[in-house]
Amino acid sequence: MKKILITSLLLVLMVFVDAQAQSYIYRGRSTYSSDILYTWDGTHLYKGRSTYNSDILYTWDGKCLYSGRSTYSSDIILSWDGKYIYKGRSSYSSDVLATWDGKYLYSGRSTYSSDVLYHWDHQYVYSGRSSYSSDILCTIKGTLPVPILYLIL
């Protein structure tokens, strides 16, 4: 009986952990399932609410973002060092697409307030430096790497 109870608890825990691993990106301020734009599982970004292999848009390895299911170096779209998002596999300052400071995503290598593309408070993504609800572009339930946020916006 004890073995069945432990097995049952482990199964429930595995289902719970799996459900927690997925993040959703919603249109605007919505959290309705019909407004899910993307699903993130920690490695792949899928279109809509799908988690089918055929719906994989991008693959993330923690440093590079690849097109589709690929992890070939020729399919790298963006690379990331924790602060800068680079074009392709580059790490040259001339190839910086965006800069992240923990709150704002800036265009290029800039950190000027006039170059803020998005403000992300880890739930809502706002246009520019705004934090007005009318400027919410999307709602994120869960975690998401900054390069993926940059790419989908």
Side-chain angles (χ1 to χ4, degrees):
M1 182 67 166
K2 189 175 181 180
K3 186 176 182 179
I4 293 172
L5 180 61
I6 291 173
T7 303
S8 298
L9 287 173
L10 285 174
L11 286 173
V12 169
L13 181 62
M14 286 175 28
V15 168
F16 179 75
V17 168
D18 185 52
Q20 292 298 319
Q22 288 186 346
S23 299
Y24 297 105
I25 299 94
Y26 299 85
R27 178 180 295 113
R29 193 177 171 149
S30 175
T31 55
Y32 292 116
S33 62
S34 61
D35 288 328
I36 293 174
L37 299 171
Y38 304 99
T39 300
W40 171 249
D41 71 2
T43 302
H44 300 103
L45 184 73
Y46 303 85
K47 62 182 174 183
R49 194 176 166 91
S50 173
T51 55
Y52 292 118
N53 280 340
S54 60
D55 290 328
I56 294 174
L57 299 172
Y58 304 105
T59 300
W60 175 249
D61 71 2
K63 180 171 173 39
C64 296
L65 186 66
Y66 302 84
S67 179
R69 293 175 46 188
S70 175
T71 55
Y72 293 117
S73 61
S74 61
D75 292 326
I76 294 174
I77 299 169
L78 303 172
S79 51
W80 166 252
D81 68 4
K83 181 175 182 176
Y84 299 112
I85 299 171
Y86 297 92
K87 181 175 29 173
R89 293 175 43 183
S90 178
S91 59
Y92 293 117
S93 61
S94 60
D95 289 329
V96 171
L97 298 172
T99 302
W100 173 247
D101 72 359
K103 185 175 184 178
Y104 298 110
L105 192 62
Y106 300 85
S107 178
R109 211 173 152 81
S110 174
T111 54
Y112 291 117
S113 62
S114 60
D115 291 330
V116 172
L117 298 171
Y118 309 108
H119 166 204
W120 183 23
D121 66 8
H122 295 283
Q123 179 178 8
Y124 299 114
V125 178
Y126 304 86
S127 179
R129 289 184 67 83
S130 176
S131 57
Y132 292 114
S133 62
S134 60
D135 291 328
I136 293 173
L137 300 173
C138 64
T139 301
I140 299 172
K141 291 282 188 169
T143 61
L144 189 70
V146 173
I148 291 196
L149 177 68
Y150 173 79
L151 194 64
I152 63 175
L153 293 173

